[in-house]
Amino acid sequence: MDPRPRSFYFLAAFFALFLIFLYGPTLTIAILSFQGPQGGLTFPMNGVSLHWFGDLFREQAVGDIWGSFRRSFALGLLVMVTTIVVSVMGGLAFRRRFAGSTVLFYLIVTSLVIPSILISLGVGLIFTQSGLRIHWATSGYGAQLTWTLPFGLLIMLAVFNRFDPAYEEAARDLGASPWQTVRHVVLPIIAPSLIGVALFGFTLSYDEFARTLLTAGSYNTLPLEIFGMTTNVTTPVIFALGTMTTAFSLVVIGVFFSVLWLSGRRRVRQGSDAGKGMV
């Protein structure tokens, strides 16, 4: 007799359907990207080859794939660095109550619930009315920060809410200045969380579409370029591009997790060496 209740199988089937719904479209695109040279955008597949991946590296009649990739990558790095710095500073500031802290917190979080297209429209209008040029590195950069900074700040608030101030007190008792305390005590302890904030900042920026739609100016980022290609590209090359961008995102996530794992091993090794030294 199977000791597991019927509800177990129901939940297992529901979870399997959820995974299919979640990853099915991505897997479908990945499969279709390996169509043969005469293949189309739908099943059944007409051969199997790497033809459309090679086509990505040839000059395209439409679009600027690699230029848009470079812009998205550069913008993602800018947003990532800014998100880390501002989130840490905000987390440190919110450790103590100050005048207007509650109002400021809700104003920051509100940008998460405002429709992204309205944020894009608002930032674009501000730049236009101010006589400033709409560009992916200025208005697009600012619009994306309204998306990444609240996430980074929420992570830092959770981290500092559990942070033991005794470590800082011990550092100050040993004569460390406030900056030395932050640099040599606080930052090493919260380093894994900083990697998480960096991952959020980069991936949210790299994949963002709506908040960049009206703020990128004349040069598209990669999500905008892919969207534009859906209207005039009728070959599986667009599937190959989607597969490569997905693979790139997974590589970035893998790099961040590898750094996190290596930093954890380093802390364990340092703790072990310190313990041996005390003995």
Side-chain angles (χ1 to χ4, degrees):
M1 290 291 293
D2 191 344
R4 289 174 291 194
R6 292 183 178 180
S7 59
F8 169 81
Y9 296 100
F10 173 78
L11 292 175
F14 178 80
F15 183 67
L17 289 174
F18 170 74
L19 290 179
I20 293 174
F21 176 80
L22 187 64
Y23 295 107
T26 302
L27 292 175
T28 301
I29 288 175
I31 294 171
L32 288 174
S33 65
F34 291 95
Q35 287 263 32
Q38 304 302 320
L41 295 175
T42 59
F43 290 104
M45 294 180 63
N46 188 358
V48 178
S49 73
L50 298 175
H51 171 80
W52 302 109
F53 289 94
D55 200 45
L56 284 175
F57 295 91
R58 292 189 285 269
E59 185 176 354
Q60 301 293 313
V62 292
D64 180 20
I65 295 174
W66 297 110
S68 61
F69 169 77
R70 288 191 295 269
R71 287 188 286 273
S72 283
F73 185 75
L75 183 57
L77 291 179
L78 286 172
V79 171
M80 179 187 73
V81 172
T82 306
T83 301
I84 293 173
V85 174
V86 177
S87 296
V88 172
M89 295 173 63
L92 291 171
F94 275 98
R95 295 178 74 185
R96 296 182 180 180
R97 302 280 296 186
F98 57 88
S101 60
T102 302
V103 176
L104 179 60
F105 171 78
Y106 284 113
L107 284 175
I108 294 173
V109 175
T110 299
S111 66
L112 294 178
V113 299
I114 297 177
S116 298
I117 192 65
L118 293 182
I119 296 288
S120 180
L121 177 62
V123 173
L125 286 175
I126 289 174
F127 270 73
T128 300
Q129 295 300 317
S130 301
L132 300 174
R133 181 189 176 193
I134 295 179
H135 192 268
W136 61 269
T138 54
S139 53
Y141 169 70
Q144 290 193 1
L145 285 178
T146 65
W147 181 233
T148 61
L149 284 180
F151 279 108
L153 181 60
L154 289 174
I155 293 174
M156 284 295 101
L157 290 178
V159 169
F160 283 120
N161 187 51
R162 297 178 298 169
F163 192 88
D164 190 352
Y167 296 116
E168 296 168 280
E169 295 173 2
R172 287 193 292 267
D173 289 342
L174 293 173
S177 65
W179 166 242
Q180 289 174 325
T181 301
V182 172
R183 179 183 176 186
H184 297 291
V185 178
V186 176
L187 292 182
I189 292 176
I190 67 172
S193 301
L194 295 182
I195 295 174
V197 172
L199 183 59
F200 259 111
F202 182 84
T203 55
L204 290 177
S205 169
Y206 180 75
D207 296 329
E208 180 58 27
F209 173 81
R211 295 181 189 238
T212 321
L213 181 61
L214 302 176
T215 58
S218 303
Y219 298 97
N220 286 339
T221 58
L222 188 58
L224 298 179
E225 192 69 26
I226 293 176
F227 176 76
M229 290 177 65
T230 60
T231 63
N232 49 35
V233 176
T234 57
T235 63
V237 68
I238 192 171
F239 293 154
L241 177 59
T243 300
M244 289 193 66
T245 56
T246 301
F248 176 75
S249 298
L250 293 176
V251 168
V252 170
I253 294 173
V255 168
F256 276 102
F257 275 109
S258 298
V259 172
L260 182 62
W261 178 74
L262 290 174
S263 63
R265 283 183 60 102
R266 180 182 178 186
R267 288 200 308 274
V268 171
R269 190 181 302 113
Q270 289 176 342
S272 177
D273 293 341
K276 292 179 181 178
M278 293 178 63
V279 174

